[in-house]
Amino acid sequence: MVSTDRLLAFAAMSLLIISIPGPSVLFIIGRALAHGRRTALATVLGNVIGSYLLVVIVALGIGAVVERSLVVFMAVKLAGAAYLIYLGVQAFRHRKEMKASSLAAPADAARGDVRTVVDGALVGVTNPKGIVFFAAVLPQFVDHTAGRLPAQMLLLGLVPIAIGLVTDTLWGLGASAARSWFARSERRLSLVGGAGGFAMIGLGVTVAATGRAE
């Protein structure tokens, strides 16, 4: 359904775009620094789910509305920015509780994992970089003569999702590995947790202040 040439060209374009760290990558790094590897990987999973939801939205035609309407685009962008700031504030407020939370019961950890996946999905689906990429770039690689355009978009969308899954996982593992050194000291762990919180707050402010303005 999708030619090999188009698939490879889209893969190259996706790799180029994804290699530039955006809101999702910085969010994953912040979560890894604040909470560790498990939270980072759960965030990656959530972000992948949220990003593919963007593909589905574009394939169904809603993405064009978001891309062409400044009001809708700004609403989605500001919602994502506000959520990032909220998560950053929460991470900073609870920075001294991280050691205790790491000893939580399995049931509590499971509930935490579900919430973390949801957090990652919300950030992924409101990521301005993802919205622009999937709404503006993805449709360019569809073969209109072949028909079944939504199916083509859903298939092509798996390419950047797979690339992002690998790269985001590496970012998360790298950041959480650096965090393990800080974990040897409660004070250092508290400091890195606060740094992760500040990083997410700064990211939220940056997302709100930059991007499409007209």
Side-chain angles (χ1 to χ4, degrees):
M1 179 165 37
V2 179
S3 68
T4 303
D5 291 343
R6 287 177 182 268
L7 193 62
L8 292 177
F10 184 62
M13 176 67 73
S14 300
L15 182 60
L16 178 63
I17 297 297
I18 293 172
S19 64
I20 303 172
S24 292
V25 169
L26 297 180
F27 176 65
I28 290 166
I29 291 174
R31 295 289 269 185
L33 290 175
H35 302 289
R37 182 174 61 183
R38 180 168 178 156
T39 296
L41 295 179
T43 302
V44 170
L45 175 60
N47 184 66
V48 166
I49 293 172
S51 297
Y52 196 70
L53 282 176
L54 285 178
V55 176
V56 174
I57 290 171
V58 170
L60 295 177
I62 304 174
V65 177
V66 175
E67 173 62 14
R68 294 169 187 168
S69 171
L70 176 60
V71 174
V72 176
F73 183 88
M74 288 297 294
V76 172
K77 184 177 81 165
L78 292 176
Y83 197 67
L84 284 169
I85 293 172
Y86 166 76
L87 292 174
V89 170
Q90 291 297 104
F92 181 78
R93 285 182 57 197
H94 299 289
R95 65 191 184 282
K96 295 182 179 179
E97 304 170 13
M98 287 190 296
K99 186 171 184 180
S101 66
S102 67
L103 302 176
D108 294 333
R111 284 196 294 271
D113 288 344
V114 172
R115 176 60 185 273
T116 300
V117 171
V118 172
D119 288 345
L122 288 174
V123 171
V125 79
T126 58
N127 180 1
K129 178 182 174 183
I131 293 171
V132 172
F133 176 73
F134 289 120
V137 178
L138 176 59
Q140 298 181 28
F141 291 86
V142 172
D143 185 357
H144 291 266
T145 62
R148 303 182 65 184
L149 302 187
Q152 289 188 57
M153 290 186 187
L154 291 173
L155 179 59
L156 283 169
L158 291 173
V159 174
I161 295 301
I163 295 174
L165 177 62
V166 173
T167 57
D168 289 353
T169 298
L170 292 176
W171 279 112
L173 291 176
S176 60
R179 178 183 182 271
S180 64
W181 179 81
F182 290 93
R184 298 172 191 168
S185 164
E186 288 190 32
R187 183 174 179 275
R188 287 186 300 202
L189 186 59
S190 176
L191 287 174
V192 77
F198 272 123
M200 283 185 278
I201 293 171
L203 174 59
V205 172
T206 301
V207 168
T210 60
R212 177 179 171 182
E214 59 181 25

